[in-house]
Amino acid sequence: MVTGPTPPRLLRLPVQADTDPAHGGRWTSLRAGGREWLWHRPDPARHTVRPGATFVDAGGLEECLPTVRGTPDHGDAWSRPWRRTRDGDVLEGPDFTLRRTIRSGPDALRARYRLTADPGHRLLWAAHALLDVGHDARLSAPHGAATRLFPEAAALLDRPWPPGAPHLTGPWPSPHGLRLDRLGPDDGTALGAIITDCPSVQVTDGPDTLTLTVHTDAEVPVSVALWRNLGGWPESSPYRSIGVEPMLGAVFDLAEAGPDDAATVPADGALSWELEISATRIPRLPAPTPPEGSR
């Protein structure tokens, strides 16, 4: 029996992060195996924002809470200073407190969150991660997973957009004929989508794969949002940015959330969850040894 070469064993890479508590708790670096995964777009306005400001897209990973789109733009967390403590970072929001602890280990980075608020408080949370990936990068999610599209995708679909519909749902990776797992090349489009009931996805770019997973024991919707801006936004000066955003919730705007589309703080007043990030790499194979006597 003839067999092919044994596939190389994946290298599991430690993942490390840096954050900036003074500027919204923003993640400024996410590194694995010498690679920086976060995309950046320096903008001096990011350092002078105040609560309620229009979102400044500087890249990195922003904590969006209690909404992503809507009011306030990208939520309350990204524009407020956080307080660093011995155990992690703390954000005092207008009607909630969020505590975050980030720990790196040999197998994965884990960011643990605990939000306290009045029982019944509704919210969305997203780890708004903008990734530095090439035109051949792919996003992997469970085949057939229910994927919500929003009106900015209407012109790209194989059917008309129903009047007044806030979103349409179709199966991953091609809901209503729109292929979403390809993260390039740039084509002048920009759209958001949400893969619902999906706690984990993988982003593969060349030999490297980043896996993002949300864990929680709470009865809340867990999804992954995709912001695929392939040079289509903003109209005045478009650029490329790719957001892969693990989230609690199933819509972008809390004001549009139905009864099952947002997370709700339980009766004890606390909601906990964890974001796990791991990375692997296909090792480079050694060059074949030339036959003896060859040059």
Side-chain angles (χ1 to χ4, degrees), residues 124 139 141-150 167-172 175 180 192-201 220-226 245-252 260-262:
L124 305 173
L139 177 64
H143 189 82
T147 305
R148 289 182 170 179
L149 302 173
F150 295 83
H167 51 74
L168 285 180
T169 301
W172 181 267
L180 291 179
I194 296 178
I195 312 167
T196 62
D197 194 23
C198 178
S200 184
V201 295
V220 297
V222 176
S223 307
V224 176
L226 168 65
E245 308 171 26
M247 66 182 299
L248 303 184
V251 292
F252 285 114
D260 299 322
D261 291 338

Side-chain angles (χ1 to χ4, degrees), residues 74-290:
H74 284 67
D76 273 311
W78 76 275
S79 60
R80 295 176 181 269
W82 295 41
R83 175 169 48 87
R84 178 147 289 172
T85 71
R86 183 175 58 185
D87 299 323
D89 298 326
V90 180
L91 168 66
E92 298 291 349
D95 48 10
F96 63 85
T97 298
L98 180 65
R99 291 174 171 82
R100 180 185 68 187
T101 303
I102 300 175
R103 296 286 185 266
S104 296
D107 294 327
L109 177 146
R110 290 176 172 83
R112 294 186 172 93
Y113 297 85
R114 180 177 173 84
L115 181 139
T116 53
D118 291 338
H121 182 80
R122 301 185 82 220
L123 62 107
L124 305 173
W125 163 83
H128 186 280
L130 293 171
L131 302 181
D132 186 5
V133 293
H135 290 180
D136 294 327
R138 296 288 185 270
L139 177 64
S140 299
H143 189 82
T147 305
R148 289 182 170 179
L149 302 173
F150 295 83
E152 67 264 23
L156 305 174
L157 307 185
D158 59 9
R159 55 165 292 180
W161 192 271
H167 51 74
L168 285 180
T169 301
W172 181 267
S174 300
H176 300 290
L178 177 58
R179 187 77 180 266
L180 291 179
D181 58 334
R182 299 172 179 171
L183 301 180
D186 296 353
D187 60 8
T189 64
L191 59 90
I194 296 178
I195 312 167
T196 62
D197 194 23
C198 178
S200 184
V201 295
Q202 292 184 324
V203 179
T204 299
D205 188 26
D208 294 318
T209 294
L210 193 71
T211 301
L212 304 101
T213 305
V214 174
H215 304 281
T216 181
D217 293 330
E219 295 294 326
V220 297
V222 176
S223 307
V224 176
L226 168 65
W227 168 244
R228 197 180 69 175
N229 175 22
L230 302 178
W233 184 90
E235 290 185 7
S236 59
S237 183
Y239 53 88
R240 171 187 172 89
S241 58
I242 303 295
V244 178
E245 308 171 26
M247 66 182 299
L248 303 184
V251 292
F252 285 114
D253 189 344
L254 183 61
E256 298 177 355
D260 299 322
D261 291 338
T264 302
V265 175
D268 65 0
L271 181 64
S272 298
W273 67 95
E274 177 185 280
L275 173 61
E276 177 187 340
I277 304 176
S278 60
T280 59
R281 173 174 294 162
I282 300 173
R284 182 177 299 176
L285 296 175
T289 303

